[in-house]
Amino acid sequence: MKAIALKIPFRPIVLGLVVLFFSGILLERAQAGGGYYYPPVADPVVREECGGCHLAFPASMLPKRSWTRMMGDLKNHFGDDASLDAATTERIARYLDANAADSGGQRYGGKLIRGVSLEKAPLRITELPKWVREHREITSAEWKAKEVGSKANCVACHTDAERGYYDE
Amino acid sequence: MKTKTTTTLLLATLFLPLSSFATPRDDLLEQYATAAKSASPAFSGFSAARGEKLHVTKFAGGKADTPACTSCHADSPRSAGRTPAGKSIEAVAVSVTPTRYTDPAKVEKWFKRNCNDVLGRECTPLEKGDWLSFVISQ
């Protein structure tokens, strides 16, 4: 009997593998919500009080030491007097501390505060090295656009920011 | 029959607060009126027109970037405003945002902050009552 020469179709297999590889990368990104997910504030009091003037920024965007510093001086909150009664202040401080970027389990928060010296307690999310790097392509004209107006106005570009997604 | 009576009674109780008791807004106005009267015996009620004037006037005593209420709240009381940080503010007019001014503590909190920002001082009970009458009328 004549041996059957096994003809392996290399080309389609390699092509198939390449396609699979890239789909895998895409899928992983899609599962990660396009890249950046910071759980929105879950506590209704925190949401109400911190979301009065600006988006209630996710606790995982700053380390504990930053939140402690901020909650200790609400009277001078970026030029505004945002002081609250003691009980409310305490409740917000506790929530922020428990959910801060360095509280553990904060995938993107942990990355966001990389490069921040442990001796420093930055108050502005927009001054974190990682934040600056991620936004380096935004021109000053774009920042000044009427719909944007402020770097604190995440939703102007990240339309899903209220739900925690900060994609491009 | 008994069930029906009970249901009717229950329903009646539900609507009772709407009809016979003062709303939180009325309570607030009454508080401000009492305080305004004790500040000036000549006080003879609030005026929505004065409230409107307060709302649109530009003051010099507060922060440079917020000279008037309308700096953040829109020019029209029936339009949504925007904070310097870009957050949308629901229209101040009660006809547009009926849930407004129903929590006295919240009203006081924002009067305190906003009057300080715009006027550089707290608002008087007369100003608060006038302004509240204005937005209720809108």
Side-chain angles (χ1 to χ4, degrees), chain A residues 88-130:
Chain A
T88 312
T89 309
E90 166 68 22
R91 175 168 174 164
I92 296 171
R94 231 180 308 125
Y95 174 87
L96 294 172
D97 192 77
N99 296 280
D102 52 348
S103 66
Q106 300 292 352
R107 186 172 169 192
Y108 293 101
K111 283 184 186 169
L112 184 60
I113 59 161
R114 267 185 205 166
V116 178
S117 152
L118 281 172
E119 282 97 66
K120 287 206 172 126
L123 296 178
R124 286 181 196 274
I125 296 162
T126 55
E127 281 170 7
L128 301 174
K130 166 101 172 152

Side-chain angles (χ1 to χ4, degrees), chain A residues 4 10 20 25 40 43 49 54-55 59 63 70 77 80 88 90 107 110 112 117 130 132 140 142 146-147 154 158-159:
Chain A
I4 301 166
F10 277 109
L20 218 75
I25 291 180
D43 185 305
E49 298 300 340
H54 51 70
L55 170 76
M70 195 178 297
H77 188 69
D80 277 316
T88 312
E90 166 68 22
R107 186 172 169 192
L112 184 60
S117 152
K130 166 101 172 152
V132 174
S140 64
E142 282 172 304
K146 216 173 128 256
E147 319 76 69
C154 308
H158 305 289
T159 48

Side-chain angles (χ1 to χ4, degrees), chain B residues 42-114:
Chain B
F43 170 76
S44 62
F46 295 123
S47 142
R50 275 200 310 260
E52 179 167 22
K53 191 160 171 256
L54 176 73
H55 189 67
V56 299
T57 303
K58 285 192 171 148
F59 297 89
K63 284 191 188 148
D65 55 343
T66 55
C69 304
T70 51
S71 307
C72 295
H73 298 291
D75 283 334
S76 158
R78 293 194 195 86
S79 308
R82 211 170 86 141
T83 70
K87 194 166 169 109
S88 171
I89 310 171
E90 289 177 317
V92 291
V94 170
S95 63
V96 180
T97 322
T99 49
R100 267 190 176 275
Y101 324 115
T102 49
D103 175 357
K106 193 172 170 180
V107 174
E108 273 297 292
K109 181 181 102 178
W110 287 105
F111 264 139
K112 183 171 171 245
R113 282 188 184 171
N114 295 348

Side-chain angles (χ1 to χ4, degrees), chain A residues 63-84:
Chain A
K64 293 178 181 210
R65 54 188 186 278
S66 293
W67 291 126
T68 307
R69 189 179 154 205
M70 195 178 297
M71 294 308 291
D73 192 14
L74 282 182
K75 228 175 151 32
N76 299 295
H77 188 69
F78 304 98
D80 277 316
D81 179 359
S83 48
L84 296 160

Side-chain angles (χ1 to χ4, degrees), chain B residues 116-127:
Chain B
N116 268 326
D117 282 350
V118 171
L119 301 149
R121 59 165 173 85
E122 294 210 17
C123 285
T124 63
L126 180 69
E127 287 168 330

